[in-house]
Amino acid sequence: MDLSFVDGLKYDENGLIPCVAQDAETGEVLMVAYMNRESLKDTISKKLASYWSRSRQKYWVKGESSGNTQEIKEIRLDCDKDCVLIKIKQNGGAACHTGMRSCFYFKVTDDGLVEDGVKVFNPEDVYGA
């Protein structure tokens, strides 16, 4: 597959492009992360989501520690080619490093911010203390 189009996308000043991970079956948005050229090319060719960690400043394959991998079903780009949408099968049930199904588990209500999500695993059991 010709991946030359990846170099023509609009990356930020750090060489990163935002990526939205969405459950391919339900449409639920599971997480937002960032990709660089290498991680996007690997995601396309290997059919497993790979990202660039801004906090750790390193490349990572989603689920390499937890087993909660993201199998690629479809990849789309927005009209400006500055954002990636990946439709995935979330293996292992949790997208969030906190053990929650989705990273978007906080809900704004009239009473303030409430936790509203499904806990799939205990992060201390998976990543250590």
Side-chain angles (χ1 to χ4, degrees):
M1 171 187 260
D2 180 13
L3 299 178
S4 60
F5 72 91
V6 170
D7 293 327
L9 302 181
K10 294 179 186 172
Y11 299 89
D12 69 13
E13 62 278 357
N14 297 310
L16 303 176
I17 192 168
C19 176
V20 177
Q22 180 182 41
D23 186 290
E25 288 187 21
T26 68
E28 179 183 18
V29 174
L30 298 175
M31 60 182 278
V32 174
Y34 289 83
M35 294 179 163
N36 62 10
R37 285 168 179 82
E38 177 189 10
S39 60
L40 180 53
K41 286 178 180 178
D42 282 353
T43 295
I44 294 167
S45 61
K46 296 177 182 175
K47 305 278 192 240
L48 282 176
S50 302
Y51 300 103
W52 178 260
S53 171
R54 296 179 304 161
S55 60
R56 294 177 287 156
Q57 290 293 298
K58 70 177 222 171
Y59 170 96
W60 58 287
V61 177
K62 178 66 179 157
E64 64 189 346
S65 298
S66 67
N68 292 292
T69 59
Q70 295 176 339
E71 187 179 330
I72 304 302
K73 298 300 182 182
E74 184 178 351
I75 301 176
R76 293 182 167 262
L77 297 169
D78 75 331
C79 57
D80 294 325
K81 296 183 183 161
D82 63 359
C83 186
V84 178
L85 170 68
I86 57 174
K87 296 186 178 189
I88 60 160
K89 175 184 177 194
Q90 180 63 57
N91 297 315
C96 188
H97 71 283
T98 65
M100 301 297 274
R101 162 82 177 147
S102 169
C103 292
F104 294 92
Y105 61 88
F106 288 107
K107 183 177 180 180
V108 178
T109 70
D110 290 339
D111 296 324
L113 199 60
V114 297
E115 195 171 299
D116 180 39
V118 177
K119 187 88 159 188
V120 176
F121 69 87
N122 181 344
E124 288 182 8
D125 293 342
V126 174
Y127 306 116

